Amino acid sequence: MSDDENARELSRMWRIWRTAKQMCYDRGYLMSDEEMNISLEEFRARCTDSNGAPQRASMNFTARPSDAMLKKYTDLPRPGRPIPEPSIGTIHFDFNSDPNVGVKHLRAYAQLCLNQNFHTGIFVSAVPVTSSALKILPAILPQKIEVFQESDLLVNITRHELVPKHVLLSPEEKKSLLERYRLKETQLPRIRVDDPVAKYLGLRRGQVVKIIRKSETAGRYASYRWCI
């Protein structure tokens, strides 16, 4: 690569890394402002080789859930399970540079997450993952593996002025909402798990998200969506 190409690629990967860190924070993981707002120069110092080219392996990182996130991912007590465990844990981001990504890559990454006891894995690929590899994700291993292409993270879609704020409800908040309006969750408007914002937030089927929009008359108003 020429110096100009290196500079463009460096800026591109820096933006992707920042979006990944912001996504981590927006989901509820512990992430400092310094980590989310790393400067281009600091990124260059940490994540490039001697020629100034970005090294994706240096961009890999992990994060732990905050107390608030643990609460949102803990089911309500029920008979036989009076003290439920949170269904969330450490997340690991892996930035892959292979020119082709298929089943064996995702299996290897899932095994890494299992061996390292990562609850969730985010696999960020430079190229599209094969459709056959994506089909095996639901049954690949107990770990939750999500796949993003680098182009998905070039821009943080939730920072756009036309995208309303989405807030995940805890099981307790969901129960309170349904009781207040005397609804079943199936009666709520829906949002698909592959919706761009739902994917960004890592929403799971059955969860309810609160969507806060601006209103010229009321200032703000909220609506709710059931994830399917």
Side-chain angles (χ1 to χ4, degrees), residues 6-161:
N6 267 345
R8 285 195 295 271
E9 182 66 3
L10 179 70
S11 177
R12 178 178 173 274
M13 296 309 299
W14 169 59
R15 291 164 59 195
I16 291 167
W17 206 46
R18 285 199 310 173
T19 299
K21 297 271 186 175
Q22 291 166 358
M23 182 171 75
C24 216
Y25 175 81
D26 289 340
R27 289 187 179 198
Y29 293 95
L30 295 171
M31 190 67 56
S32 68
D33 288 340
E34 290 181 355
E35 290 177 286
M36 289 189 293
N37 299 311
I38 183 173
S39 68
L40 179 59
E41 287 307 311
E42 186 176 352
F43 178 77
R44 187 197 309 273
R46 292 174 57 177
C47 301
T48 60
D49 60 18
S50 57
N51 296 319
Q55 293 295 293
R56 287 170 176 80
S58 300
M59 296 168 58
N60 299 346
F61 67 91
T62 61
R64 293 180 294 107
S66 64
D67 290 342
M69 187 180 193
L70 290 172
K71 183 177 180 181
K72 287 190 175 185
Y73 282 83
T74 302
D75 289 336
L76 295 172
R78 61 177 186 267
R81 201 178 180 190
I83 308 178
E85 291 290 325
S87 60
I88 201 70
T90 301
I91 192 171
H92 178 265
F93 278 72
D94 185 283
F95 293 82
N96 185 277
S97 61
D98 291 337
N100 298 290
V101 179
V103 173
K104 69 175 184 179
H105 296 84
L106 294 189
R107 285 195 183 279
Y109 180 55
Q111 190 62 50
L112 169 70
C113 290
L114 180 64
N115 294 342
Q116 298 295 324
N117 201 30
F118 297 135
H119 184 278
T120 304
I122 304 289
F123 187 90
V124 183
S125 63
V127 296
V129 176
T130 63
S131 58
S132 58
L134 293 176
K135 287 179 182 177
I136 70 166
L137 278 181
I140 195 167
L141 275 177
Q143 270 62 22
K144 178 175 171 58
I145 305 297
E146 301 173 41
V147 174
F148 286 82
Q149 198 173 332
E150 288 178 357
S151 56
D152 298 331
L153 301 175
L154 265 173
V155 176
N156 186 336
I157 58 172
T158 65
R159 300 297 194 265
H160 194 284
E161 62 179 5

